[in-house]
Amino acid sequence: MLFSELPNEIIEQILLDLDPLTLAQCRVASRQLYELIDNSVLLQIVIEAGIDGLLVVGPRNRHLGYPSSSAQHLLDEIFRIREATKELSPRSVWKIPNEHGPLEISDGIICFVSSGRGGGQLKTCHFHEMLAPADQNYNLFQPYPTEKRYVNTMRDIDAGVTDIVFSTGSDLVVLLERTTAPNTDRVDHRLHFRAISTGRPHPEATLPHIEYIYPLSPAFGSGTWLLQLYGDMVALLLVQNGGGVTVWNWKSGEVIVPCQSAVASIFLSQNQLLLITNTKGDPLSSNDQEKMNIVVYSISERCITHRIRLPVSTLRHPFLFTYPRQTLTQISPAQIAGTFAPDPSLDVFALQFWPTVADAVHPCVAVFSTQRLLEACEAALVDREQYPVDVDWNTWGPKGSRWFPPNCLHAPSERGIHGARMVTTTRSDAFDVFDWIDDWKPNRDEIFNYPVILDFNPRPILRGATDCDFPLCRNTVVRDMWSWSIPEDEKTVSIESGLPFRAFVSKEEWFHHSGAHLHSTAVVFSKDTSDDIYSFLQHPNLW
């Protein structure tokens, strides 16, 4: 039997196994496929979600795991969310009083730590669903409830919790507890591995907790510590003072990356860490802040395998940001992540740093394509004689990066990136003209209260997205290669960057805030008195 003789239902099921771009290309293969794809709501869901940088990670069947009557509704919601994001017109639907400690959002769940009713140390861990009730689970895009829903609380932590990270797919929450060694001034830490569903030690964790003593220098152990989770790996990073990152397998308790000197670290892949370290590899002092390298550490090789050559050599107070990709390791019970997840081939990470400019109030921000960097690292190993190898900037950087000058963007927060998008705030006129590329003018009185979403997914641009304005938002498309000059000491460094992006800038000030988290269909702004969740979902009760 020829392929063209198969029933349309079977051909549709075969096409559902293709990635979005290949599926879209099949439309030109034959008239039969053209009509089948254009008339299939399910195939259109895969294509339109792919245009927005999303993959279908739920069940690949004729209904994507949902009643057939909801397929058209689901496709309509994808279009509505696309337009709502372009207009940058979210509505505040939930406020959490800012009387808590660490806050994390992942997989449609929000988690924060509080001191509980009795006050005192931060020992009570709250989990709340950010989705619709279970009886409406056919609709992935119900608005977030105005009243929080209790999931689970844990109160038996001995000391205060300073950071959290979790994955609902693994039913795991990692709690960082800060402890003090008896009769010393040394600050130690304890990593707890708990099940979200029970609050008890996770059944797959060989050790219920890990005791950690910072090995590089006890004097530096009291800095700011952050947790990062990637599948079975959990990393603990000290982002100031001495700097250092250690990685464990949380299931076995094994140390898979012994403490590496670094002031910033992110997971590039299951096997690679991107580190910012100094030239000597020793703990950093204030005098070493400008002598830094960006390197790739291979977990399997247990060594630094690549040196990333950037067009600037001066990085003062650098930090790295990216999307916590732990949600893709298992399909989560959360409805959105159980069906859609960001396409990893479009992932970006951001580098924040200050150049040697005395009157720069806000940092430089450079955004990079993770996929382009990984491909350049792979190509650099072809003629390798020994580690580490240098990754030439010109092989990937000009087309795989976008550099923003100081005083153009407010510093993004640790969770300000989701897939190919980044949320922060900017000036009211930052993207009206392109003076910021060639001739930026720092101003200490500038107000950065205008939210902006930068989307580095090139697919809508290639499809024909153009500059346009909405009542509440300015939409600017930048697809060209631009050069920008960074004054570095007494010389000027010219940087070419061409990673295409769209900027959605609000026409209205929202409020003063200290950070923003980006989740698939919502953004969370931290204010002085509360953390406010803003949803981009259209719903009659909210509009």
Side-chain angles (χ1 to χ4, degrees), residues 150-387:
Y150 169 83
V151 176
N152 186 47
T153 301
M154 289 174 278
R155 294 187 175 88
D156 58 342
I157 303 298
D158 296 333
V161 174
T162 59
D163 198 20
I164 53 175
V165 66
F166 67 95
S167 170
T168 55
S170 301
D171 191 29
L172 170 73
V173 58
V174 184
L175 307 170
L176 180 62
E177 178 186 5
R178 177 172 172 167
T179 62
T180 302
N183 304 319
T184 70
D185 295 330
R186 189 184 71 210
V187 176
D188 298 338
H189 291 83
R190 186 178 296 129
L191 284 74
H192 297 265
F193 308 114
R194 302 294 181 94
I196 298 174
S197 57
T198 64
R200 298 176 180 176
H202 199 286
E204 294 186 45
T206 304
L207 303 175
H209 63 264
I210 292 176
E211 303 283 348
Y212 180 71
I213 300 174
Y214 181 60
L216 297 183
S217 174
F220 289 144
S222 59
T224 299
W225 295 82
L226 297 175
L227 289 170
Q228 299 171 345
L229 186 62
Y230 196 111
D232 294 343
M233 297 180 291
V234 59
L236 180 60
L237 170 68
L238 175 61
V239 298
Q240 63 189 53
N241 293 333
V245 61
T246 304
V247 180
W248 295 265
N249 182 305
W250 66 265
K251 291 183 178 179
S252 66
E254 175 192 5
V255 176
I256 56 178
V257 177
C259 186
Q260 298 293 310
S261 175
V263 293
S265 169
I266 58 173
F267 284 101
L268 286 178
S269 68
Q270 190 75 25
N271 185 50
Q272 291 167 304
L273 285 168
L274 189 67
L275 309 177
I276 298 182
T277 184
N278 67 336
T279 54
K280 298 179 181 179
D282 299 326
L284 301 177
S285 68
S286 59
N287 294 328
D288 294 321
Q289 288 294 326
E290 298 179 8
K291 303 174 182 178
M292 298 197 184
N293 287 331
I294 297 185
V295 299
V296 175
Y297 183 94
S298 170
I299 296 174
S300 60
E301 297 286 345
R302 300 284 180 113
C303 67
I304 292 174
T305 56
H306 299 81
R307 284 189 298 259
I308 310 301
R309 298 300 189 188
L310 297 182
V312 293
S313 59
T314 300
L315 298 175
R316 298 174 60 244
H317 310 294
F319 199 73
L320 294 168
F321 308 89
T322 192
Y323 168 62
R325 185 143 295 282
Q326 74 272 14
T327 56
L328 287 187
T329 56
Q330 295 181 357
I331 294 179
S332 163
Q335 296 163 25
I336 286 182
T339 301
F340 295 126
D343 186 341
S345 69
L346 300 175
D347 277 1
V348 298
F349 66 92
L351 168 65
Q352 165 197 307
F353 68 98
W354 271 259
T356 53
V357 179
D359 50 359
V361 181
H362 298 277
C364 295
V365 177
V367 178
F368 305 91
S369 165
T370 303
Q371 184 72 18
R372 284 186 178 271
L373 175 57
L374 290 175
E375 291 173 353
C377 289
E378 184 69 23
L381 293 176
V382 173
D383 299 323
R384 169 183 73 86
E385 295 182 359
Q386 61 182 7
Y387 291 133

Side-chain angles (χ1 to χ4, degrees), residues 382-400:
V382 173
D383 299 323
R384 169 183 73 86
E385 295 182 359
Q386 61 182 7
Y387 291 133
V389 297
D390 290 334
V391 179
D392 185 2
W393 169 257
N394 293 321
T395 62
W396 72 281
K399 292 185 178 180

